[in-house]
Amino acid sequence: MTAKALRCFVGIVEREFLRFLRQRSRFFASLVRPLVWLVIFGTGLRTMVDLSGTPPYGPGVAYEDYIVPGLVGLVLLFNGMQIALSMVFDREMGSMKVLLVSPQPLWYLLTCRLVAGVIVALPQVYAFLACAWLWGVRPPLSGYLYALPAVILAGLMLGALGLLLSSLVEQLENFAGVMNFVIFPVFFGSTALYPLSRLSDANAVLAEVARLNPFSHAVELVRFALYGRLDITALVATVVMTVVAMALAVWRYDSGRILRRSLAA
Amino acid sequence: MSALEIRDVSHAYRKPALRGVSFSIEPGDFVLLLGLNGAGKTTLFSLIAGLLGLQQGSIRVLGHEVGRSAALAGCGFVFQQSALDLDLTVAQSLRYHAALHGLSRSDARKRIEQELERFGLAARMHDLVRTLSGGQRRRVEIARALLHRPCLLLLDEATVGLDVPSRRAIVQRVRAQCAEEGATALWATHLPDEVEPGDRTIVLHEGQVRDDRRDIAAASLPDYFAGLAS
């Protein structure tokens, strides 16, 4: 990497961080959302759901322990949507042009933007894990370290999907609807709240949806990493999905596909 | 080598926006691209910036094919639509631009101070962009475009929405800057009073170059456009 490319990366990360710091409510919203699930939903279902024998947990695992990786995924999913929203906002406000006329190649600029978005998500994820620890969800301490690459990879995949989504959404006003359309099916149709084995017993179609859902793989990657284990299938699926989504996003942003519409309007 | 060379460029959305546009600009020239709203100026700028893909014709910027890294590195852009982050300070906005162009921190700091001083904004350096007036924001955008010392400055309606004294001050500042640093500028506008005697003026109308000369008198331009429209 050249010095200029590195400075460009640092500049993009710095801008994302400065914007994040000015939007403090975003940080608290990202914490409150999963904490409501953990404290209310988790407590309510603790005695109703038997998760004994579900890997990577041992016997007698509490429901809250199970859903914490899924809620980490929820933080990352919202962060991916935030990346998408911010791209659409920048496009509408005109500031994306400043990024696009930089002398660095487009794929590099979008990758920097993606990585910057994931870096901003890390404090949110670890703040949530700290709150979960206080609530009694305590994976091994080493798990917090092992989870870091998994969280980064899951964040990259969801951010890349966010970038792709931003290339498909034409106007800012449409974005709220698109977010609801994406977030809820992706979250509920995954292994974030219930294991695949339990889903198969209840509904084979839903189980198949959850098995194919890339978000399930991101969640499983984080879940296993938190307990010091590696889920190879989840790793491969997450990497492949990241590369495919990113390639499609770059292709969409290339050749003015996105700006052509706004200029033609 | 021309600073900008445009050959037979045509572009269409649902309807044609540019039709066979050709002209070139020599290094050091200050050229006005004059046209009514919808004449195709922004489309032409977007093509020069590589924001839109070329459909027909060719554009060479500083001897490089449009959209290439070397071409973009030598250009400074001021877009018609404001492109500043309202939630950043003036200095942070400029530092972001400097980083995108690969300037080191120390160079960026020096140049930011220098440009803001020139544009009379040094005292607002640490203020949020959203607290600036429209004229101050435009000056920040021009300072930003000059930060990486471009050889070719492209300004698309850089004074739109400003009062007459602010417009005059900005035009004079850019003219002076180009004269001091020997930069080339293409200034797109729909305002005839931005034309000064002796300026090379390219008139773009309904996507076509209708005139390209140095002796267009600003006072006669309203009648000139009325003639084109009829």
Side-chain angles (χ1 to χ4, degrees), chain B residues 9-39:
Chain B
V9 167
S10 295
H11 198 89
Y13 304 107
R14 281 180 289 272
K15 287 190 234 166
L18 293 174
R19 289 179 288 180
V21 172
S22 294
F23 62 85
S24 61
I25 300 178
E26 297 311 308
D29 267 2
F30 185 95
V31 178
L32 282 116
L33 183 67
L34 192 65
L36 301 173
N37 294 332

Side-chain angles (χ1 to χ4, degrees), chain B residues 40-63:
Chain B
K41 303 185 295 291
T42 299
T43 298
L44 185 59
F45 269 71
S46 299
L47 290 168
I48 297 169
L51 296 170
L52 289 176
L54 268 176
Q55 291 174 351
Q56 193 187 313
S58 69
I59 299 178
R60 291 187 75 78
V61 179
L62 306 165

Side-chain angles (χ1 to χ4, degrees), chain A residues 4 7-8 10-12 14-15 18-19 22-23 90-95 97-104 109 255-256 259-260 263-265, chain B residues 13-14 42 46 49 51-53 69 72-73 77 79 81-85 87-89 92 95-97 99-105 128 144:
Chain A
K4 285 190 175 186
R7 286 173 196 145
C8 175
V10 172
I12 291 172
E14 186 187 16
R15 173 182 182 255
L18 288 168
R19 277 163 50 133
R22 294 214 187 277
Q23 300 164 357
D90 280 0
R91 206 166 68 218
E92 293 249 318
M93 295 298 124
S95 50
K97 288 178 185 167
V98 177
L99 179 77
L100 295 181
V101 297
S102 155
Q104 298 298 331
L109 295 169
S255 308
L259 292 166
R260 191 180 301 137
L263 282 169
Chain B
Y13 304 107
R14 281 180 289 272
T42 299
S46 299
L51 296 170
L52 289 176
S69 173
L72 289 170
F77 294 95
F79 299 104
Q81 185 190 7
S82 177
L84 288 167
D85 275 312
D87 289 327
L88 298 186
T89 67
Q92 286 165 348
R95 205 161 61 224
Y96 171 58
H97 176 85
L100 289 178
H101 282 265
L103 296 185
S104 69
R105 283 260 173 187
L128 286 179
R144 179 178 66 186

